[in-house]
Amino acid sequence: MIYVARSVYVTGLDAGGGKSAIALGVAELLSRRVRRIGVFRPFTRKDDDPIVALLRDHYGMPPAAAATGVRYDEAALMLARGQVDAMVGLILERFHEVERGCDAVVIVGTDFGAPDGGEGEPTFPDELGMNLRLARELGAPLLPVVDGDGRSAADLDTAIRGARQAVAGHSVVAIVANRVAPELRSGVQADLDGTPVYAVPRVAAVSAPTVAEVVQVLNATPLLGSSPQALDRDVLDIVVGGATVPTFLDHVGDGCLVVTPGDRSDLIVAAMAAHFAGLASISGLVLTLGIEPDPRVVSLVGRFRGEVPVISVREDSFDTVGRLTGLEGALTAQNQRKVTAAIGAFEASVDVPELTARLDVTRSDGVTPLMFEFELIERAREDLRHVVLPEGTEERVLRAAEQLLRRGVCELTLLGPVDVIREKARDLGLDLRLDDSGARIVDPNASQWRNEFAATYAKLREHKGMTVDKAWDQVGDVNYFGTLMVQSGRADAMVSGCVHPTADTIRPAFEIIKTAAGVSIASSVFFMCLADRVLVYGDCAINPDPNPEQLADIAISSAATAERFGVEPRVAMLSYSTGISGFGADVDKVAHATELVRKRRPDLPVVGPIQYDAAVDPSVAATKMPGSEVAGHATVLIFPDLNTGNNTYKAVQRSAGAVAVGPVMQGLRKPVNDLSRGATVRDIVSTVAITAIQAAS
């Protein structure tokens, strides 16, 4: 059944269940369809509810789009006075305030007495009945969440069937069994009486607490490694240090938190040595009994490369472990790694097209930056490609690689010294799954492919006097090596430029991959994500002063790129003159290029010469170029030269707050894309997704 609704009600059936992760996954799904999503919780224990805060902050919702109904203590008082209808009416009133400004709303049900905001706070009887009533009153189909944590296959099946029976007679989009043991997922029935059932696995990266949360719970004193990056490490296990060093080392593993008295200098040094030697990637050390280690030991461990948190507590090891037992990490927008892991688990487990179709939320006409970026991720996931990242030792690249792997965007190869990359990933506490299905590391200087690549490059450049010996040195460069991986089919595409200038990325592509048939010039575009639409700017990064033929090529290539990424191409050939209002060599160049585009692509809507304001503003276009199907509605804007294009995209990016994705290369036989040296992790993720899509096209 399809439910045409502007909201969905996510509810558990008992305490826990990980509703925040499921709500995040649903919000992610909706964010691809609509411009404005909201979040609402009918009941809350805190003024700043953690689930509301998570969705509000992650999706940048305005204050009016993220709200709560009543506090539990208020609800308890109203129920005691017999004011149930009044309470429901108050919740409805506050909900509609949110709904009025949103295209879709994620509603998250009650906590069932869970201590989200403090154990023992007031609750009320028949919370499930209240959730069912509210879903009906709010006009929202249900998405029940069953907690699979610790359940056997038989218990899980019983719980799922019980959930379906409990919500019988209500509109149900699907049932989600969350935190299911991975080995039990395949045994979960996919359909129950016409209702889809999805099993989302328990993911340690989502549920594990961070060292920062351990510090807070223990009220610990940081001694070493107190940077936000160091404290962001996940704690996957606890190892109590009390034995001899050899026995202790047998129990140390990746993600473990070592708890040991502060006077056990042997175990402190052994733990740090095990970490930096690559034996195990420990998350940190907790030194108990209030004893700080000898200053000479502190000085020694402080000389190890990288940062491992070392904290001190006054309690003994037994009490410390007791306080940490059962501690789970909070899913917050500030911890992007957990958010990415949660969304990745949801997307990998849920039939997104099926769930989207059952909700049938009408897609917004406009496209926001979030919608555009999320669509990139989804399209890349549909046809998995292999992307090589030459700058494998760069922290931003490694952090982006973790996100790409967790979202299942593509397969990855990182270039650089194997030991250096492994050590850096370990120091940063990143999970790149280097030992199984994750990123592959290749060292160009030690690779068995180097001789083959040298011979290939020498043959390609023999007309320039290149010899095999010279080529052997050249292909040791990570960008040349990565480009030759793409050329030889060992990778589908390449992304570089975080720490290299543009020329270092694109020169190998021009020499080795070269331009596609029928294209006279390679060029680039930026996807400029404005508040309500995406524009395509070309060429803002490669060609300083293209002639009319080259400018026409850039326009046609840019239109094709726009169409490939869901932007309907309406091309504006920009100039300082609109129509025949001006004259000069620069205007003539644009006019000539416009005619060439019309001749080569008569089906392509194009106008030029035209000024920027007339190209994008309908009111200006009505005056300067009335009757044009492109003026005022252009989506692809072609700049006459690099000086104009580069300055314009940066001005729009900085002044209008636009998200600039790119530059995206076009016209090459195989995709190679360049990053800005100021690229953020988010920029890298988006560019890799675009590159993967290009490779699949």
Side-chain angles (χ1 to χ4, degrees):
M1 183 178 292
I2 294 174
Y3 302 100
V4 181
R6 294 182 57 206
S7 56
V8 60
Y9 197 109
V10 180
T11 181
L13 302 175
D14 48 25
K19 292 189 299 296
S20 57
I22 303 305
L24 180 64
V26 172
E28 183 80 2
L29 181 153
L30 293 174
S31 69
R32 300 172 191 164
R33 304 287 301 172
V34 301
R35 288 176 51 196
R36 301 165 303 178
I37 62 171
V39 58
F40 181 75
R41 290 210 74 185
F43 300 97
T44 183
R45 299 180 186 277
K46 296 182 177 180
D47 290 334
D48 192 15
D49 182 86
I51 297 180
V52 171
L54 166 66
L55 299 188
R56 178 197 65 210
D57 296 345
H58 183 65
Y59 294 101
M61 299 175 186
T68 58
V70 298
R71 291 177 60 109
Y72 274 95
D73 53 357
E74 295 175 321
L77 183 60
M78 296 182 79
L79 288 172
R81 293 173 175 173
Q83 299 172 326
V84 178
D85 289 343
M87 180 186 71
V88 172
L90 182 60
I91 291 171
L92 289 177
E93 180 182 338
R94 292 177 179 174
F95 169 74
H96 289 307
E97 290 174 3
V98 173
E99 187 186 38
R100 276 193 289 271
C102 299
D103 300 309
V105 181
V106 180
I107 308 166
V108 186
T110 63
D111 295 328
F112 288 86
D116 290 10
E119 200 167 343
E121 291 195 20
T123 183
F124 47 83
D126 192 18
E127 286 197 54
L128 177 58
M130 179 58 69
N131 281 297
L132 297 182
R133 175 179 176 178
L134 287 174
R136 187 168 54 247
E137 299 276 11
L138 301 176
L142 289 163
L143 187 71
V145 179
V146 174
D147 190 4
D149 191 25
R151 280 189 158 125
S152 66
D155 288 344
L156 184 59
D157 182 68
T158 300
I160 293 171
R161 291 181 181 278
R164 186 66 188 92
Q165 185 175 357
V167 298
H170 296 264
S171 301
V172 181
V173 178
I175 297 173
V176 176
N178 191 30
R179 307 197 299 187
V180 176
E183 65 272 14
L184 299 183
R185 288 184 60 232
S186 60
V188 173
Q189 188 173 338
D191 184 276
L192 192 62
D193 299 329
T195 300
V197 179
Y198 306 121
V200 178
R202 181 177 180 87
V203 178
V206 177
S207 58
T210 63
V211 178
E213 289 170 318
V214 168
V215 171
Q216 184 176 14
V217 166
L218 298 180
N219 193 25
T221 302
L223 301 179
L224 290 173
S226 57
S227 71
Q229 294 81 4
L231 296 176
D232 192 39
R233 294 174 180 273
D234 294 328
V235 177
L236 305 179
D237 191 14
I238 297 175
V239 174
V240 179
T244 62
V245 169
T247 303
F248 169 72
L249 292 177
D250 286 339
H251 292 82
V252 174
D254 289 345
C256 73
L257 181 72
V258 175
V259 179
T260 188
D263 60 356
R264 287 298 304 267
S265 299
D266 55 338
L267 297 184
I268 296 170
V269 173
M272 298 293 275
H275 177 85
F276 290 107
L279 177 65
S281 177
I282 67 173
S283 58
L285 284 85
V286 180
L287 307 184
T288 62
L289 300 174
I291 301 173
E292 294 192 11
D294 187 285
R296 291 167 293 185
V297 175
V298 175
S299 176
L300 174 61
V301 299
R303 291 176 181 269
F304 285 105
R305 293 189 301 273
E307 267 193 306
V308 174
V310 180
I311 62 178
S312 175
V313 297
R314 300 192 63 82
E315 292 82 0
D316 61 24
S317 297
F318 180 84
D319 289 338
T320 298
V321 172
R323 292 175 66 186
L324 296 178
T325 300
L327 177 64
E328 292 208 356
L331 190 56
T332 67
Q334 288 67 45
N335 193 323
Q336 187 59 42
R337 297 178 63 233
K338 285 190 182 296
V339 168
T340 302
I343 292 174
F346 183 88
E347 291 174 331
S349 309
V350 169
D351 187 334
V352 172
E354 177 185 52
L355 187 55
T356 303
R358 286 179 65 84
L359 281 171
D360 194 35
V361 178
T362 303
R363 186 180 180 89
S364 297
D365 292 332
V367 179
T368 67
L370 278 178
M371 290 172 67
F372 181 71
E373 291 179 357
F374 297 149
E375 181 127 341
L376 293 179
I377 299 295
E378 188 62 27
R379 287 188 59 187
R381 285 163 49 91
E382 289 173 358
D383 190 353
L384 218 58
R385 294 290 156 162
H386 189 152
V387 179
V388 57
L389 305 177
E391 298 158 324
T393 59
E394 165 62 27
E395 178 178 338
R396 287 168 294 165
V397 170
L398 291 174
R399 291 191 181 279
E402 183 186 53
Q403 291 194 26
L404 290 162
L405 292 169
R406 284 182 170 176
R407 297 292 297 274
V409 174
C410 61
E411 297 176 351
L412 289 175
T413 291
L414 302 169
L415 298 186
V418 176
D419 290 343
V420 172
I421 293 176
R422 284 183 175 274
E423 181 178 335
K424 191 145 194 177
R426 186 170 61 248
D427 289 347
L428 295 171
L430 302 178
D431 178 19
L432 301 181
R433 292 175 280 162
L434 297 174
D435 295 323
D436 44 52
S437 60
R440 179 173 62 175
I441 304 176
V442 175
D443 184 353
N445 291 311
S447 173
Q448 59 184 352
W449 303 331
R450 190 170 183 179
N451 289 332
E452 175 194 332
F453 287 176
T456 299
Y457 183 65
K459 186 172 182 179
L460 287 170
R461 303 293 290 174
E462 61 184 348
H463 64 289
K464 294 290 188 179
M466 181 61 63
T467 65
V468 172
D469 287 343
K470 291 179 182 177
W472 195 87
D473 291 334
Q474 186 68 66
V475 302
D477 176 87
V478 289
N479 284 312
Y480 275 91
F481 191 92
T483 305
L484 283 157
M485 282 185 64
V486 176
Q487 172 69 10
S488 66
R490 291 180 173 88
D492 298 309
M494 184 181 95
V495 175
S496 187
C498 250
V499 293
H500 291 91
T502 295
D504 287 359
T505 300
I506 65 174
R507 186 185 300 112
F510 289 159
E511 293 178 357
I512 297 166
I513 292 175
K514 302 181 180 178
T515 55
V519 177
S520 66
I521 188 171
S523 57
S524 72
V525 296
F526 279 92
F527 289 96
M528 301 299 294
C529 303
L530 304 175
D532 59 350
R533 55 183 160 164
V534 176
L535 301 178
V536 177
Y537 284 10
D539 171 12
C540 305
I542 305 298
N543 299 289
D545 189 16
N547 62 36
E549 291 76 14
Q550 293 171 329
L551 200 57
D553 244 2
I554 292 169
I556 292 170
S557 293
S558 300
T561 299
E563 192 167 25
R564 182 179 298 164
F565 289 94
V567 178
E568 182 182 352
R570 294 186 292 272
V571 182
M573 308 294 287
L574 299 177
S575 171
Y576 59 78
S577 168
T578 295
I580 57 173
S581 65
F583 55 89
D586 292 337
V587 178
D588 293 342
K589 179 178 84 167
V590 175
H592 186 192
T594 305
E595 290 306 313
L596 290 173
V597 173
R598 290 187 177 128
K599 183 177 179 180
R600 290 172 55 186
R601 284 287 307 276
D603 60 311
L604 186 63
V606 59
V607 65
I610 187 171
Q611 292 161 291
Y612 190 99
D613 57 349
V616 299
D617 188 325
S619 61
V620 176
T623 301
K624 292 189 174 183
M625 194 169 278
S628 170
E629 63 174 328
V630 175
H633 306 283
T635 57
V636 179
L637 298 112
I638 306 303
F639 294 90
D641 53 60
L642 183 60
N643 182 52
T644 307
N646 193 269
N647 278 297
T648 301
Y649 108 75
K650 288 184 176 178
V652 173
Q653 179 187 33
R654 301 300 178 186
S655 301
V659 176
V661 180
V664 177
M665 293 289 294
Q666 54 191 14
L668 295 172
R669 290 190 296 114
K670 295 185 178 183
V672 171
N673 280 320
D674 179 44
L675 295 163
S676 163
R677 276 174 282 178
T680 63
V681 171
R682 179 181 177 181
D683 296 334
I684 298 169
V685 170
S686 295
T687 302
V688 171
I690 282 178
T691 309
I693 295 168
Q694 285 181 302
S697 301

